[in-house]
mmCIF file of all heavy atoms in Angstrom:
data_model
loop_
_atom_site.group_PDB
_atom_site.id
_atom_site.type_symbol
_atom_site.label_atom_id
_atom_site.label_comp_id
_atom_site.label_asym_id
_atom_site.label_seq_id
_atom_site.Cartn_x
_atom_site.Cartn_y
_atom_site.Cartn_z
ATOM 1 N N ALA A 1081 -229.500 11.903 36.057
ATOM 2 C CA ALA A 1081 -228.116 11.740 35.645
ATOM 3 C C ALA A 1081 -227.867 12.552 34.412
ATOM 4 O O ALA A 1081 -228.657 12.511 33.441
ATOM 5 C CB ALA A 1081 -227.826 10.240 35.365
ATOM 6 N N ARG A 1082 -226.789 13.368 34.402
ATOM 7 C CA ARG A 1082 -226.485 14.185 33.243
ATOM 8 C C ARG A 1082 -225.829 13.404 32.119
ATOM 9 O O ARG A 1082 -226.032 13.636 30.941
ATOM 10 C CB ARG A 1082 -225.518 15.312 33.668
ATOM 11 C CG ARG A 1082 -226.150 16.274 34.639
ATOM 12 C CD ARG A 1082 -225.190 17.370 34.999
ATOM 13 N NE ARG A 1082 -225.803 18.368 35.932
ATOM 14 C CZ ARG A 1082 -225.206 19.459 36.404
ATOM 15 N NH1 ARG A 1082 -223.958 19.727 35.962
ATOM 16 N NH2 ARG A 1082 -225.827 20.278 37.212
ATOM 17 N N THR A 1083 -224.988 12.423 32.504
ATOM 18 C CA THR A 1083 -224.340 11.575 31.505
ATOM 19 C C THR A 1083 -224.736 10.147 31.811
ATOM 20 O O THR A 1083 -224.947 9.719 32.954
ATOM 21 C CB THR A 1083 -222.843 11.686 31.594
ATOM 22 O OG1 THR A 1083 -222.355 11.309 32.881
ATOM 23 C CG2 THR A 1083 -222.383 13.088 31.290
ATOM 24 N N PRO A 1084 -224.943 9.332 30.762
ATOM 25 C CA PRO A 1084 -225.318 7.926 30.984
ATOM 26 C C PRO A 1084 -224.266 7.166 31.814
ATOM 27 O O PRO A 1084 -223.098 7.295 31.483
ATOM 28 C CB PRO A 1084 -225.405 7.321 29.582
ATOM 29 C CG PRO A 1084 -225.610 8.537 28.689
ATOM 30 C CD PRO A 1084 -224.822 9.657 29.339
ATOM 31 N N PRO A 1085 -224.634 6.515 32.893
ATOM 32 C CA PRO A 1085 -223.642 5.786 33.693
ATOM 33 C C PRO A 1085 -223.059 4.563 32.995
ATOM 34 O O PRO A 1085 -221.944 4.130 33.326
ATOM 35 C CB PRO A 1085 -224.445 5.396 34.931
ATOM 36 C CG PRO A 1085 -225.848 5.343 34.485
ATOM 37 C CD PRO A 1085 -226.002 6.382 33.454
ATOM 38 N N PHE A 1086 -223.764 4.019 31.993
ATOM 39 C CA PHE A 1086 -223.248 2.842 31.323
ATOM 40 C C PHE A 1086 -223.173 3.137 29.812
ATOM 41 O O PHE A 1086 -223.968 3.937 29.247
ATOM 42 C CB PHE A 1086 -224.206 1.637 31.518
ATOM 43 C CG PHE A 1086 -224.131 1.049 32.894
ATOM 44 C CD1 PHE A 1086 -225.093 1.433 33.841
ATOM 45 C CD2 PHE A 1086 -223.144 0.191 33.241
ATOM 46 C CE1 PHE A 1086 -225.064 0.933 35.104
ATOM 47 C CE2 PHE A 1086 -223.102 -0.343 34.519
ATOM 48 C CZ PHE A 1086 -224.067 0.008 35.482
ATOM 49 N N ARG A 1087 -222.187 2.532 29.135
ATOM 50 C CA ARG A 1087 -222.060 2.629 27.689
ATOM 51 C C ARG A 1087 -222.115 1.251 27.154
ATOM 52 O O ARG A 1087 -221.542 0.312 27.711
ATOM 53 C CB ARG A 1087 -220.711 3.308 27.335
ATOM 54 C CG ARG A 1087 -220.489 3.512 25.851
ATOM 55 C CD ARG A 1087 -219.248 4.361 25.594
ATOM 56 N NE ARG A 1087 -218.070 3.773 26.282
ATOM 57 C CZ ARG A 1087 -217.299 2.854 25.744
ATOM 58 N NH1 ARG A 1087 -217.554 2.352 24.520
ATOM 59 N NH2 ARG A 1087 -216.239 2.425 26.397
ATOM 60 N N LEU A 1088 -222.843 1.043 26.037
ATOM 61 C CA LEU A 1088 -223.114 -0.205 25.486
ATOM 62 C C LEU A 1088 -222.229 -0.512 24.237
ATOM 63 O O LEU A 1088 -221.985 0.357 23.395
ATOM 64 C CB LEU A 1088 -224.619 -0.350 25.050
ATOM 65 C CG LEU A 1088 -225.045 -1.660 24.421
ATOM 66 C CD1 LEU A 1088 -224.854 -2.830 25.383
ATOM 67 C CD2 LEU A 1088 -226.468 -1.556 23.887
ATOM 68 N N SER A 1089 -221.691 -1.724 24.164
ATOM 69 C CA SER A 1089 -220.985 -2.184 22.936
ATOM 70 C C SER A 1089 -221.343 -3.692 22.777
ATOM 71 O O SER A 1089 -221.913 -4.306 23.672
ATOM 72 C CB SER A 1089 -219.486 -2.052 23.098
ATOM 73 O OG SER A 1089 -218.987 -2.925 24.091
ATOM 74 N N GLY A 1090 -221.079 -4.159 21.571
ATOM 75 C CA GLY A 1090 -221.449 -5.562 21.302
ATOM 76 C C GLY A 1090 -220.370 -6.238 20.465
ATOM 77 O O GLY A 1090 -219.627 -5.635 19.714
ATOM 78 N N ILE A 1091 -220.290 -7.551 20.632
ATOM 79 C CA ILE A 1091 -219.380 -8.393 19.850
ATOM 80 C C ILE A 1091 -220.007 -9.792 19.709
ATOM 81 O O ILE A 1091 -220.369 -10.413 20.733
ATOM 82 C CB ILE A 1091 -217.963 -8.457 20.522
ATOM 83 C CG1 ILE A 1091 -217.073 -9.368 19.721
ATOM 84 C CG2 ILE A 1091 -218.051 -8.924 21.907
ATOM 85 C CD1 ILE A 1091 -215.627 -9.314 20.156
ATOM 86 N N ALA A 1092 -220.205 -10.206 18.481
ATOM 87 C CA ALA A 1092 -220.692 -11.540 18.151
ATOM 88 C C ALA A 1092 -222.055 -11.815 18.895
ATOM 89 O O ALA A 1092 -222.234 -12.935 19.430
ATOM 90 C CB ALA A 1092 -219.664 -12.597 18.533
ATOM 91 N N GLY A 1093 -222.894 -10.810 18.967
ATOM 92 C CA GLY A 1093 -224.210 -10.980 19.586
ATOM 93 C C GLY A 1093 -224.217 -10.846 21.094
ATOM 94 O O GLY A 1093 -225.249 -11.063 21.721
ATOM 95 N N HIS A 1094 -223.105 -10.511 21.723
ATOM 96 C CA HIS A 1094 -223.029 -10.332 23.189
ATOM 97 C C HIS A 1094 -223.053 -8.834 23.484
ATOM 98 O O HIS A 1094 -222.383 -8.028 22.836
ATOM 99 C CB HIS A 1094 -221.756 -10.961 23.733
ATOM 100 C CG HIS A 1094 -221.661 -12.452 23.476
ATOM 101 N ND1 HIS A 1094 -222.432 -13.364 24.167
ATOM 102 C CD2 HIS A 1094 -220.920 -13.153 22.593
ATOM 103 C CE1 HIS A 1094 -222.134 -14.592 23.734
ATOM 104 N NE2 HIS A 1094 -221.196 -14.505 22.795
ATOM 105 N N GLU A 1095 -223.827 -8.461 24.557
ATOM 106 C CA GLU A 1095 -223.820 -7.078 25.017
ATOM 107 C C GLU A 1095 -222.776 -6.882 26.083
ATOM 108 O O GLU A 1095 -222.751 -7.659 27.084
ATOM 109 C CB GLU A 1095 -225.228 -6.736 25.627
ATOM 110 C CG GLU A 1095 -226.332 -6.618 24.538
ATOM 111 C CD GLU A 1095 -227.615 -6.114 25.144
ATOM 112 O OE1 GLU A 1095 -227.565 -5.555 26.304
ATOM 113 O OE2 GLU A 1095 -228.630 -6.276 24.532
ATOM 114 N N ILE A 1096 -221.979 -5.831 25.913
ATOM 115 C CA ILE A 1096 -220.940 -5.500 26.878
ATOM 116 C C ILE A 1096 -221.263 -4.098 27.452
ATOM 117 O O ILE A 1096 -221.414 -3.145 26.683
ATOM 118 C CB ILE A 1096 -219.572 -5.485 26.303
ATOM 119 C CG1 ILE A 1096 -219.262 -6.805 25.546
ATOM 120 C CG2 ILE A 1096 -218.469 -5.260 27.307
ATOM 121 C CD1 ILE A 1096 -219.315 -8.012 26.409
ATOM 122 N N TRP A 1097 -221.409 -4.020 28.729
ATOM 123 C CA TRP A 1097 -221.657 -2.745 29.432
ATOM 124 C C TRP A 1097 -220.356 -2.193 29.987
ATOM 125 O O TRP A 1097 -219.581 -2.911 30.617
ATOM 126 C CB TRP A 1097 -222.643 -2.887 30.595
ATOM 127 C CG TRP A 1097 -224.098 -3.177 30.116
ATOM 128 C CD1 TRP A 1097 -224.482 -3.579 28.911
ATOM 129 C CD2 TRP A 1097 -225.261 -3.023 30.914
ATOM 130 N NE1 TRP A 1097 -225.836 -3.729 28.835
ATOM 131 C CE2 TRP A 1097 -226.340 -3.385 30.115
ATOM 132 C CE3 TRP A 1097 -225.503 -2.654 32.229
ATOM 133 C CZ2 TRP A 1097 -227.660 -3.389 30.533
ATOM 134 C CZ3 TRP A 1097 -226.809 -2.647 32.653
ATOM 135 C CH2 TRP A 1097 -227.887 -3.015 31.831
ATOM 136 N N HIS A 1098 -220.085 -0.945 29.722
ATOM 137 C CA HIS A 1098 -218.900 -0.233 30.149
ATOM 138 C C HIS A 1098 -219.238 0.751 31.227
ATOM 139 O O HIS A 1098 -220.229 1.518 31.080
ATOM 140 C CB HIS A 1098 -218.186 0.478 28.977
ATOM 141 C CG HIS A 1098 -217.826 -0.462 27.866
ATOM 142 N ND1 HIS A 1098 -216.596 -1.000 27.668
ATOM 143 C CD2 HIS A 1098 -218.619 -0.981 26.828
ATOM 144 C CE1 HIS A 1098 -216.606 -1.767 26.569
ATOM 145 N NE2 HIS A 1098 -217.797 -1.750 26.037
ATOM 146 N N GLN A 1099 -218.397 0.881 32.281
ATOM 147 C CA GLN A 1099 -218.595 1.929 33.299
ATOM 148 C C GLN A 1099 -217.269 2.133 33.968
ATOM 149 O O GLN A 1099 -216.400 1.212 34.000
ATOM 150 C CB GLN A 1099 -219.695 1.518 34.251
ATOM 151 C CG GLN A 1099 -219.339 0.300 35.111
ATOM 152 C CD GLN A 1099 -218.581 0.640 36.353
ATOM 153 O OE1 GLN A 1099 -218.678 1.768 36.877
ATOM 154 N NE2 GLN A 1099 -217.779 -0.309 36.885
ATOM 155 N N ASN A 1100 -217.095 3.288 34.537
ATOM 156 C CA ASN A 1100 -215.831 3.560 35.297
ATOM 157 C C ASN A 1100 -216.134 4.416 36.542
ATOM 158 O O ASN A 1100 -215.230 5.100 37.012
ATOM 159 C CB ASN A 1100 -214.837 4.275 34.404
ATOM 160 C CG ASN A 1100 -215.387 5.550 33.779
ATOM 161 O OD1 ASN A 1100 -216.523 5.964 34.114
ATOM 162 N ND2 ASN A 1100 -214.641 6.190 32.930
ATOM 163 N N TRP A 1101 -217.332 4.334 37.084
ATOM 164 C CA TRP A 1101 -217.689 5.149 38.243
ATOM 165 C C TRP A 1101 -217.847 4.306 39.488
ATOM 166 O O TRP A 1101 -217.902 4.898 40.579
ATOM 167 C CB TRP A 1101 -219.011 5.889 37.966
ATOM 168 C CG TRP A 1101 -220.122 4.995 37.483
ATOM 169 C CD1 TRP A 1101 -220.451 4.706 36.212
ATOM 170 C CD2 TRP A 1101 -221.072 4.290 38.312
ATOM 171 N NE1 TRP A 1101 -221.503 3.824 36.189
ATOM 172 C CE2 TRP A 1101 -221.942 3.608 37.498
ATOM 173 C CE3 TRP A 1101 -221.299 4.255 39.682
ATOM 174 C CZ2 TRP A 1101 -222.971 2.822 37.976
ATOM 175 C CZ3 TRP A 1101 -222.298 3.466 40.189
ATOM 176 C CH2 TRP A 1101 -223.163 2.763 39.318
ATOM 177 N N ASP A 1102 -217.902 2.977 39.434
ATOM 178 C CA ASP A 1102 -218.144 2.180 40.616
ATOM 179 C C ASP A 1102 -217.090 1.046 40.677
ATOM 180 O O ASP A 1102 -217.018 0.229 39.765
ATOM 181 C CB ASP A 1102 -219.545 1.561 40.582
ATOM 182 C CG ASP A 1102 -219.968 0.890 41.928
ATOM 183 O OD1 ASP A 1102 -219.033 0.602 42.681
ATOM 184 O OD2 ASP A 1102 -221.130 0.759 42.160
ATOM 185 N N PRO A 1103 -216.289 0.990 41.722
ATOM 186 C CA PRO A 1103 -215.267 -0.058 41.809
ATOM 187 C C PRO A 1103 -215.848 -1.402 42.096
ATOM 188 O O PRO A 1103 -215.135 -2.414 41.974
ATOM 189 C CB PRO A 1103 -214.368 0.441 42.957
ATOM 190 C CG PRO A 1103 -215.275 1.282 43.818
ATOM 191 C CD PRO A 1103 -216.255 1.970 42.908
ATOM 192 N N TYR A 1104 -217.086 -1.516 42.511
ATOM 193 C CA TYR A 1104 -217.697 -2.833 42.865
ATOM 194 C C TYR A 1104 -218.434 -3.435 41.686
ATOM 195 O O TYR A 1104 -218.990 -4.515 41.810
ATOM 196 C CB TYR A 1104 -218.652 -2.649 44.044
ATOM 197 C CG TYR A 1104 -217.918 -2.142 45.308
ATOM 198 C CD1 TYR A 1104 -218.100 -0.828 45.687
ATOM 199 C CD2 TYR A 1104 -217.111 -2.978 45.996
ATOM 200 C CE1 TYR A 1104 -217.443 -0.341 46.831
ATOM 201 C CE2 TYR A 1104 -216.475 -2.528 47.161
ATOM 202 C CZ TYR A 1104 -216.634 -1.186 47.546
ATOM 203 O OH TYR A 1104 -215.960 -0.729 48.663
ATOM 204 N N LEU A 1105 -218.490 -2.689 40.558
ATOM 205 C CA LEU A 1105 -219.060 -3.239 39.341
ATOM 206 C C LEU A 1105 -217.957 -3.457 38.317
ATOM 207 O O LEU A 1105 -216.980 -2.728 38.295
ATOM 208 C CB LEU A 1105 -220.124 -2.272 38.776
ATOM 209 C CG LEU A 1105 -221.418 -2.123 39.589
ATOM 210 C CD1 LEU A 1105 -222.280 -1.026 39.004
ATOM 211 C CD2 LEU A 1105 -222.190 -3.422 39.671
ATOM 212 N N PRO A 1106 -218.088 -4.425 37.461
ATOM 213 C CA PRO A 1106 -217.020 -4.689 36.468
ATOM 214 C C PRO A 1106 -216.939 -3.479 35.489
ATOM 215 O O PRO A 1106 -217.982 -2.926 35.084
ATOM 216 C CB PRO A 1106 -217.487 -5.954 35.751
ATOM 217 C CG PRO A 1106 -218.960 -6.056 36.010
ATOM 218 C CD PRO A 1106 -219.174 -5.435 37.357
ATOM 219 N N ARG A 1107 -215.685 -3.103 35.163
ATOM 220 C CA ARG A 1107 -215.564 -2.025 34.166
ATOM 221 C C ARG A 1107 -216.117 -2.402 32.798
ATOM 222 O O ARG A 1107 -216.647 -1.578 32.132
ATOM 223 C CB ARG A 1107 -214.070 -1.678 34.070
ATOM 224 C CG ARG A 1107 -213.464 -1.107 35.349
ATOM 225 C CD ARG A 1107 -211.999 -0.792 35.173
ATOM 226 N NE ARG A 1107 -211.763 0.218 34.167
ATOM 227 C CZ ARG A 1107 -211.784 1.525 34.387
ATOM 228 N NH1 ARG A 1107 -212.072 1.985 35.640
ATOM 229 N NH2 ARG A 1107 -211.586 2.384 33.417
ATOM 230 N N LYS A 1108 -215.927 -3.684 32.468
ATOM 231 C CA LYS A 1108 -216.548 -4.202 31.283
ATOM 232 C C LYS A 1108 -217.310 -5.498 31.729
ATOM 233 O O LYS A 1108 -216.650 -6.440 32.133
ATOM 234 C CB LYS A 1108 -215.498 -4.517 30.192
ATOM 235 C CG LYS A 1108 -214.823 -3.310 29.621
ATOM 236 C CD LYS A 1108 -213.838 -3.737 28.523
ATOM 237 C CE LYS A 1108 -213.094 -2.488 27.939
ATOM 238 N NZ LYS A 1108 -212.157 -2.930 26.893
ATOM 239 N N GLY A 1109 -218.631 -5.450 31.579
ATOM 240 C CA GLY A 1109 -219.417 -6.582 32.031
ATOM 241 C C GLY A 1109 -220.291 -7.119 30.898
ATOM 242 O O GLY A 1109 -220.935 -6.398 30.139
ATOM 243 N N LEU A 1110 -220.315 -8.490 30.841
ATOM 244 C CA LEU A 1110 -221.193 -9.194 29.872
ATOM 245 C C LEU A 1110 -222.585 -9.220 30.498
ATOM 246 O O LEU A 1110 -222.794 -9.687 31.633
ATOM 247 C CB LEU A 1110 -220.705 -10.594 29.654
ATOM 248 C CG LEU A 1110 -221.555 -11.512 28.816
ATOM 249 C CD1 LEU A 1110 -221.649 -10.951 27.385
ATOM 250 C CD2 LEU A 1110 -221.036 -12.951 28.812
ATOM 251 N N TYR A 1111 -223.572 -8.658 29.752
ATOM 252 C CA TYR A 1111 -224.921 -8.532 30.256
ATOM 253 C C TYR A 1111 -225.742 -9.768 29.784
ATOM 254 O O TYR A 1111 -225.796 -10.110 28.626
ATOM 255 C CB TYR A 1111 -225.589 -7.298 29.695
ATOM 256 C CG TYR A 1111 -227.063 -7.122 30.080
ATOM 257 C CD1 TYR A 1111 -227.446 -6.774 31.349
ATOM 258 C CD2 TYR A 1111 -228.044 -7.410 29.141
ATOM 259 C CE1 TYR A 1111 -228.807 -6.663 31.672
ATOM 260 C CE2 TYR A 1111 -229.411 -7.310 29.461
ATOM 261 C CZ TYR A 1111 -229.768 -6.950 30.767
ATOM 262 O OH TYR A 1111 -231.077 -6.852 31.097
ATOM 263 N N ILE A 1112 -226.388 -10.427 30.768
ATOM 264 C CA ILE A 1112 -227.316 -11.540 30.495
ATOM 265 C C ILE A 1112 -228.569 -11.312 31.323
ATOM 266 O O ILE A 1112 -228.550 -10.615 32.341
ATOM 267 C CB ILE A 1112 -226.685 -12.891 30.859
ATOM 268 C CG1 ILE A 1112 -226.323 -12.963 32.351
ATOM 269 C CG2 ILE A 1112 -225.446 -13.208 30.012
ATOM 270 C CD1 ILE A 1112 -225.854 -14.333 32.832
ATOM 271 N N GLU A 1113 -229.665 -11.873 30.840
ATOM 272 C CA GLU A 1113 -230.942 -11.723 31.552
ATOM 273 C C GLU A 1113 -231.757 -13.021 31.460
ATOM 274 O O GLU A 1113 -231.542 -13.862 30.576
ATOM 275 C CB GLU A 1113 -231.758 -10.566 30.956
ATOM 276 C CG GLU A 1113 -232.127 -10.736 29.493
ATOM 277 C CD GLU A 1113 -232.850 -9.554 28.926
ATOM 278 O OE1 GLU A 1113 -232.806 -8.509 29.567
ATOM 279 O OE2 GLU A 1113 -233.481 -9.688 27.863
ATOM 280 N N ARG A 1114 -232.670 -13.132 32.425
ATOM 281 C CA ARG A 1114 -233.511 -14.368 32.518
ATOM 282 C C ARG A 1114 -234.848 -13.975 33.145
ATOM 283 O O ARG A 1114 -234.886 -13.307 34.195
ATOM 284 C CB ARG A 1114 -232.824 -15.429 33.385
ATOM 285 C CG ARG A 1114 -233.578 -16.709 33.549
ATOM 286 C CD ARG A 1114 -232.989 -17.575 34.561
ATOM 287 N NE ARG A 1114 -233.684 -18.866 34.729
ATOM 288 C CZ ARG A 1114 -233.654 -19.626 35.801
ATOM 289 N NH1 ARG A 1114 -232.974 -19.220 36.845
ATOM 290 N NH2 ARG A 1114 -234.287 -20.793 35.805
ATOM 291 N N ARG A 1115 -235.933 -14.415 32.551
ATOM 292 C CA ARG A 1115 -237.262 -14.135 33.097
ATOM 293 C C ARG A 1115 -237.514 -15.000 34.318
ATOM 294 O O ARG A 1115 -237.167 -16.207 34.350
ATOM 295 C CB ARG A 1115 -238.304 -14.423 32.044
ATOM 296 C CG ARG A 1115 -238.221 -13.551 30.802
ATOM 297 C CD ARG A 1115 -238.470 -12.088 31.084
ATOM 298 N NE ARG A 1115 -239.813 -11.894 31.585
ATOM 299 C CZ ARG A 1115 -240.276 -10.752 32.030
ATOM 300 N NH1 ARG A 1115 -239.438 -9.635 31.992
ATOM 301 N NH2 ARG A 1115 -241.477 -10.595 32.538
ATOM 302 N N LEU A 1116 -238.167 -14.360 35.350
ATOM 303 C CA LEU A 1116 -238.558 -15.068 36.572
ATOM 304 C C LEU A 1116 -240.088 -14.921 36.747
ATOM 305 O O LEU A 1116 -240.516 -14.125 37.599
ATOM 306 C CB LEU A 1116 -237.799 -14.543 37.781
ATOM 307 C CG LEU A 1116 -236.274 -14.527 37.659
ATOM 308 C CD1 LEU A 1116 -235.639 -13.849 38.871
ATOM 309 C CD2 LEU A 1116 -235.716 -15.973 37.506
ATOM 310 N N PRO A 1117 -240.890 -15.666 35.987
ATOM 311 C CA PRO A 1117 -242.333 -15.418 36.070
ATOM 312 C C PRO A 1117 -242.947 -15.820 37.396
ATOM 313 O O PRO A 1117 -244.006 -15.356 37.768
ATOM 314 C CB PRO A 1117 -242.878 -16.305 34.910
ATOM 315 C CG PRO A 1117 -241.833 -17.365 34.694
ATOM 316 C CD PRO A 1117 -240.542 -16.685 35.017
ATOM 317 N N VAL A 1118 -242.311 -16.682 38.135
ATOM 318 C CA VAL A 1118 -242.881 -17.120 39.404
ATOM 319 C C VAL A 1118 -243.017 -16.006 40.374
ATOM 320 O O VAL A 1118 -243.974 -15.891 41.143
ATOM 321 C CB VAL A 1118 -242.038 -18.267 39.990
ATOM 322 C CG1 VAL A 1118 -242.559 -18.738 41.336
ATOM 323 C CG2 VAL A 1118 -242.010 -19.472 38.996
ATOM 324 N N ILE A 1119 -242.026 -15.103 40.379
ATOM 325 C CA ILE A 1119 -242.036 -13.986 41.350
ATOM 326 C C ILE A 1119 -242.258 -12.671 40.619
ATOM 327 O O ILE A 1119 -242.258 -11.596 41.265
ATOM 328 C CB ILE A 1119 -240.795 -13.927 42.207
ATOM 329 C CG1 ILE A 1119 -239.575 -13.851 41.333
ATOM 330 C CG2 ILE A 1119 -240.705 -15.131 43.113
ATOM 331 C CD1 ILE A 1119 -238.263 -13.706 42.100
ATOM 332 N N GLY A 1120 -242.420 -12.689 39.274
ATOM 333 C CA GLY A 1120 -242.789 -11.530 38.562
ATOM 334 C C GLY A 1120 -241.641 -10.552 38.338
ATOM 335 O O GLY A 1120 -241.863 -9.310 38.203
ATOM 336 N N PHE A 1121 -240.423 -10.985 38.230
ATOM 337 C CA PHE A 1121 -239.254 -10.144 37.980
ATOM 338 C C PHE A 1121 -238.493 -10.625 36.759
ATOM 339 O O PHE A 1121 -238.699 -11.745 36.262
ATOM 340 C CB PHE A 1121 -238.293 -10.149 39.195
ATOM 341 C CG PHE A 1121 -238.843 -9.433 40.403
ATOM 342 C CD1 PHE A 1121 -239.296 -10.063 41.535
ATOM 343 C CD2 PHE A 1121 -238.874 -8.009 40.374
ATOM 344 C CE1 PHE A 1121 -239.748 -9.394 42.602
ATOM 345 C CE2 PHE A 1121 -239.396 -7.327 41.494
ATOM 346 C CZ PHE A 1121 -239.841 -8.042 42.583
ATOM 347 N N GLN A 1122 -237.575 -9.803 36.327
ATOM 348 C CA GLN A 1122 -236.591 -10.192 35.304
ATOM 349 C C GLN A 1122 -235.212 -10.134 35.964
ATOM 350 O O GLN A 1122 -234.810 -9.114 36.463
ATOM 351 C CB GLN A 1122 -236.624 -9.334 34.089
ATOM 352 C CG GLN A 1122 -235.498 -9.628 33.047
ATOM 353 C CD GLN A 1122 -235.593 -8.800 31.810
ATOM 354 O OE1 GLN A 1122 -236.461 -8.978 30.948
ATOM 355 N NE2 GLN A 1122 -234.723 -7.802 31.725
ATOM 356 N N GLY A 1123 -234.498 -11.271 35.980
ATOM 357 C CA GLY A 1123 -233.178 -11.304 36.547
ATOM 358 C C GLY A 1123 -232.095 -10.942 35.529
ATOM 359 O O GLY A 1123 -232.137 -11.418 34.375
#
């Protein structure tokens, strides 16, 4: 990829991902994550 597909911003400790290339993904999305040690992934 020549340009980063996502741009990062933050507010009050929350990560907001920005994108405008995919209509099926939110243009501004709140990013959250959770460890899944039982199956060895990060959700």
Side-chain angles (χ1 to χ4, degrees):
R1082 295 183 179 180
T1083 59
F1086 290 97
R1087 182 172 55 86
L1088 178 64
S1089 67
I1091 178 171
H1094 299 286
E1095 289 188 16
I1096 307 298
W1097 288 17
H1098 303 260
Q1099 65 87 26
N1100 55 6
W1101 53 270
D1102 191 337
Y1104 300 105
L1105 291 174
R1107 295 179 62 86
K1108 293 182 181 181
L1110 174 65
Y1111 175 76
I1112 60 174
E1113 61 183 16
R1114 180 191 183 203
R1115 298 295 300 174
L1116 305 176
V1118 176
I1119 56 177
F1121 289 108
Q1122 174 177 286

